[in-house]
Amino acid sequence: MIPAAARGTTTVSARAVARIAQQAATETPNAVGTVRGTASVRGQRAEVSVRLGLPWPAELGRRAGEVQRHVASRTGELTGLSVRVARLRVVRLQRPAGGTVVFEKATAPAARGRRVPRRWWSARPTPVVVAALLGAAAAGLLTADMASVRLFGNAPAAWRTGLVDRLATTSPAAGSVTVAASAMAVAGLWLLLLACTPGLRRRHVVAGFSARRSIALDRSAVASAVRDRVLDTDGVDSVRVRVGRRRVRVRADLAFGDRAAAREQAGAAARDALADCRLNRPLRVGLRLRTTSTWDPAPPGPEPASAGVTVGEAELKESP
């Protein structure tokens, strides 16, 4: 019997890995339309990228994460390679029955001719509901007590008489009155601030459209676009992106290659991704590039061919 060390090795080609990743993406219910996959193999490590469409309306960030995790785990399981993360590029949004849609918000007909808003506004339902419930509860308690006194001749509630007596005997300069007045003033100022500021801060308006059709991108979509573009930088191992109101913070880890060149290339890639998003309010890019513990300043050279079975290339070599 031939020892295991003398039987050769099995090599999975990049083309086969790409097809496996493409098939893994189609196994998820989140992928719609035609799926395309690419891959690169370096030793026992593979990097896969998938282009596909996602269903809409849906939570795009959650659905994209599910596809990425499934493609990475399924590809690694079938190929035996280490696939850390799958690069996902969403090329279109489709309804389940077909048809491309956009992030769109219809405005009133009176808005025709106006300029495109810099940010979407929210109706602030939660603060309005809380304030209305508090006011309705206080008014309801007072009305019920007064009706009980007037209609049924009952004595006033202790909480109402106690409150009236305390207000009549307490000086306006007392600490409790000052605290209560301050709390009401703060609550009133907070409601005014909410009424005067836009609420949908996680959505960035896209430029180039009329005021009647306002289109916006969620922060998670912008972060995914920037992350995928920066991951294409040579030597970059992992990328974390955080999108704020006016700035995008990118944290990248460099596994190999020149640090200065990688920093310049990653910064240009992040800026190009933001330019492709065509946001109405341009965002600044803050890039932090750090090297990993196994960082090699020199890029890896071509790997020597090894004896074995090459999947997808119909090539078979046997050890003597």
Side-chain angles (χ1 to χ4, degrees), residues 4-316:
R7 298 175 189 173
T9 58
T10 302
T11 303
V12 184
S13 67
R15 183 178 180 182
V17 175
R19 291 185 176 180
I20 293 174
Q22 178 177 320
Q23 179 63 30
T26 59
E27 295 175 356
T28 64
N30 297 327
V32 295
T34 305
V35 180
R36 294 288 183 266
T38 58
S40 61
V41 180
R42 297 178 179 176
Q44 296 299 317
R45 178 179 170 185
E47 296 181 0
V48 298
S49 176
V50 179
R51 295 168 55 93
L52 77 168
L54 290 181
W56 176 262
E59 297 180 13
L60 298 181
R62 178 180 60 82
R63 289 183 178 270
E66 293 175 355
V67 174
Q68 284 181 310
R69 289 188 293 270
H70 180 76
V71 170
S73 62
R74 187 64 171 164
T75 305
E77 177 185 356
L78 295 178
T79 61
L81 302 175
S82 174
V83 183
R84 295 188 58 182
V85 63
R87 302 179 185 178
L88 187 65
R89 180 167 297 179
V90 180
V91 295
R92 61 187 171 275
L93 301 176
Q94 289 185 350
R95 297 186 183 276
T100 304
V101 299
V102 294
F103 299 89
E104 181 175 313
K105 181 178 180 181
T107 57
R112 298 179 182 179
R114 298 181 181 177
R115 64 182 180 86
V116 179
R118 301 191 66 180
R119 191 177 300 277
W120 279 6
W121 285 70
S122 171
R124 305 284 190 180
T126 302
V128 171
V129 170
V130 171
L133 289 177
L134 292 177
L141 289 175
L142 182 60
T143 303
D145 184 61
M146 295 182 64
S148 175
V149 174
R150 296 292 183 179
L151 298 179
F152 304 101
N154 298 328
W159 63 267
R160 184 160 67 96
T161 57
L163 179 61
V164 172
D165 293 340
R166 183 164 183 173
L167 292 177
T169 58
T170 303
S171 172
S176 58
V177 176
T178 303
V179 171
S182 301
M184 295 180 63
V186 170
L189 292 176
W190 178 248
L191 291 177
L192 289 176
L193 179 64
L194 293 179
C196 298
T197 56
L200 300 177
R201 298 177 179 272
R202 296 191 59 84
R203 298 183 183 180
H204 294 275
V205 178
V206 179
F209 297 90
S210 62
R212 185 180 180 185
R213 173 177 292 179
S214 180
I215 299 176
L217 290 177
D218 189 79
R219 289 184 182 180
S220 60
V222 178
S224 298
V226 175
R227 184 184 305 108
D228 291 342
R229 194 69 64 88
V230 175
L231 277 174
D232 291 336
T233 303
D234 295 336
V236 172
D237 183 69
S238 62
V239 179
R240 296 173 299 279
V241 181
R242 182 179 179 183
V243 180
R245 294 178 57 191
R246 300 181 180 179
R247 190 174 182 179
V248 176
R249 293 177 174 84
V250 182
R251 302 291 184 267
D253 295 334
L254 186 65
F256 62 86
D258 182 70
R259 185 173 183 177
R263 180 180 180 84
E264 182 178 356
Q265 185 179 358
R271 289 188 291 269
D272 291 342
L274 290 177
D276 292 341
C277 291
R278 299 189 304 166
L279 301 181
N280 194 16
R281 176 181 293 180
L283 303 178
R284 295 177 296 175
V285 177
L287 174 63
R288 180 182 178 184
L289 183 66
R290 63 180 184 181
T291 57
T292 61
S293 58
T294 59
W295 171 63
D296 185 2
E303 298 182 359
S306 58
V309 181
T310 303
V311 180
E313 298 293 341
E315 182 180 350
L316 176 65

